[in-house]
């Protein structure tokens, strides 16, 4: 029964919209941080549960420890050390995402509107709707914008999320290790059509990417 119950939540750790099934190093860094937080939370939960059971079955077993010591160790020192370690690790992961070098980054604008995503590449004639084309193995700097309400750009398997706020431009980095099709979604409720505001990211082999962009230019010129 325990094995069966454990398999149920783990079944949600894969799939096109699972941040725990990363397909690029930026998403791997975020997933590693999540697993670390889960492991730490589990240890803390078990420790607190152990103390609870100890007091439940052996009343008075903690009386030899002065109350002030419980407060300083359990309420100050332990949370402080834990939070500092977690924040430090998170900052290192974030620094890696911001400074990783995979060649010259490709800049793309992601424009969210009710209820679709439009993407514009280098050069005004290069644009696509509902599908973001990227080269595999190359960092993509996505600038998210909006002209109506707050949307949120997120490709769970390739990187973190960023809000697209009217009158503001925010950037996020994504990177695909290999060619493939990855799901993207607006992760900020934006109205009655929010549930259908999906898009796809097509990661192409680097040698084919320029051909794809040339095709977008031809479509725009028609």
């Amino acid at each position: 029964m325990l094995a069966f119950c454990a398999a149920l939540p783990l079944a949600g750790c894969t799939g096109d919209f699972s941040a725990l099934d990363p397909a690029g190093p930026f998403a791997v860094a975020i997933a590693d941080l999540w697993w670390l937080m889960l492991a730490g939370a589990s240890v803390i939960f078990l420790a607190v549960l152990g103390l609870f059971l100890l007091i439940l079955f052996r009343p008075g077993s903690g009386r030899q420890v002065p109350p002030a010591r419980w407060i300083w160790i359990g309420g100050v020192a332990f949370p402080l050390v834990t939070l500092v370690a977690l924040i430090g690790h998170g900052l290192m992961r974030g620094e890696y995402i911001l400074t990783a070098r995979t060649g010259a980054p490709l800049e793309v604008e992601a424009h969210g509107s009710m209820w679709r995503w439009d993407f514009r590449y280098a050069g005004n004639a290069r644009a696509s709707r509902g599908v973001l084309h990227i080269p595999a193995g190359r960092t993509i700097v996505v600038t998210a914008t909006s002209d109506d309400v707050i949307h949120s750009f997120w490709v769970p398997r390739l990187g973190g999320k960023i809000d697209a706020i009217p009158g503001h431009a925010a950037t996020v980095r994504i990177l695909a290790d290999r060619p493939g099709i990855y799901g993207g979604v607006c992760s900020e409720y934006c109205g009655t059509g929010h549930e259908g505001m999906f898009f796809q990211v097509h990661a192409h082999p680097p040698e084919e990417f320029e051909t794809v962009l040339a095709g977008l230019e031809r479509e725009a010129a028609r």
Side-chain angles (χ1 to χ4, degrees):
M1 285 298 295
L2 288 175
F4 175 75
C5 292
L8 290 179
L10 289 176
C13 295
T14 60
D16 209 21
F17 295 99
S18 174
L20 301 181
D21 186 20
F26 299 163
V28 167
I30 296 171
D32 286 347
L33 179 60
W34 188 92
W35 285 113
L36 177 65
M37 293 173 62
L38 177 63
S42 299
V43 171
I44 294 172
F45 172 77
L46 292 175
V48 173
L49 181 61
L51 288 174
F52 172 76
L53 294 176
L54 180 65
I55 295 173
L56 183 65
F57 293 105
R58 296 185 60 184
S61 57
R63 289 179 180 175
Q64 66 272 21
V65 180
R69 186 171 298 177
W70 280 113
I71 294 173
W72 280 106
I73 294 176
V76 178
F78 179 73
L80 186 62
V81 171
T82 302
L83 291 175
V84 168
L86 184 60
I87 292 173
H89 183 78
L91 290 175
M92 287 190 296
R93 296 290 85 192
E95 184 68 16
Y96 164 72
I97 293 174
L98 290 175
T99 60
R101 292 289 181 263
T102 57
L106 173 68
E107 296 188 1
V108 177
E109 179 183 328
H111 184 80
S113 57
M114 297 179 176
W115 287 275
R116 67 173 189 265
W117 288 97
D118 294 289
F119 304 102
R120 190 170 298 279
Y121 308 83
N124 293 332
R126 299 175 173 181
S128 59
R129 174 172 295 179
V131 178
L132 171 60
H133 298 278
I134 66 172
R138 183 176 172 186
T139 298
I140 312 300
V141 179
V142 180
T143 300
T145 61
S146 171
D147 58 6
D148 42 41
V149 298
I150 297 177
H151 303 283
S152 188
F153 175 92
W154 190 29
V155 188
R157 299 186 64 200
L158 300 184
K161 66 176 73 173
I162 196 72
D163 282 345
I165 303 173
H168 179 74
T171 61
V172 64
R173 293 184 168 215
I174 63 174
L175 174 59
D177 272 338
R178 55 190 179 276
I181 298 177
Y182 306 96
V185 64
C186 172
S187 59
E188 179 81 23
Y189 180 73
C190 53
T192 56
H194 166 75
E195 71 279 1
M197 197 171 170
F198 298 100
F199 62 94
Q200 289 185 334
V201 177
H202 290 198
H204 304 275
E207 63 274 10
E208 297 179 7
F209 180 65
E210 290 300 327
T211 303
V212 173
L213 288 186
L216 293 177
E217 286 191 20
R218 289 194 296 270
E219 289 182 8
R222 292 177 181 174

